[in-house]
Amino acid sequence: MNSVGFTLHELACFLAVAELGSFQKAAAQLHRSHPSVFAAVASLERQLGLALLDRSGYRVTVSAAGQAFVGQARQLLDGARQLATQASQAAMGEEL
């Protein structure tokens, strides 16, 4: 089985940039610095060997490869959030 090298943080940064069309707006939404969001997305792209974003224009847009990746990334992040919620509820003694 291949190990996953990217982080949920990198996925969240990519999705925020993809949805907002701006590293600056994504950074503000995530309460992170612009350089940290840029670095996270660059790291994700490097690990995947894909250019997920097109930075050639005034605004950042999602590349064709990025479009194919967005849905799966969103599902993975949603699943991770649900898992964290379940773990929190279990820690408080709630039934799952």
Side-chain angles (χ1 to χ4, degrees):
M1 182 172 151
N2 292 338
S3 65
V4 176
F6 56 81
T7 66
L8 295 177
H9 170 71
E10 291 167 341
L11 289 179
C13 288
F14 164 66
L15 286 176
V17 173
E19 292 168 359
L20 300 170
S22 160
F23 283 95
Q24 192 64 42
K25 289 179 183 177
Q29 178 178 299
L30 297 170
H31 306 288
R32 304 281 184 189
S33 70
H34 177 282
S36 72
V37 172
F38 189 89
V41 174
S43 175
L44 178 62
E45 289 177 315
R46 201 170 33 257
Q47 291 173 71
L48 296 173
L50 296 170
L52 300 173
L53 299 172
D54 180 357
R55 298 164 175 84
S56 64
Y58 176 73
R59 287 190 61 137
V60 176
T61 58
V62 180
S63 69
Q67 287 290 347
F69 193 74
V70 166
Q72 291 290 332
R74 189 171 289 121
Q75 286 179 353
L76 183 59
L77 278 179
D78 288 346
R81 287 183 187 115
Q82 289 173 0
L83 184 60
T85 299
Q86 285 180 344
S88 176
Q89 290 170 343
M92 292 186 296
E94 295 180 29
E95 287 188 35
L96 299 179

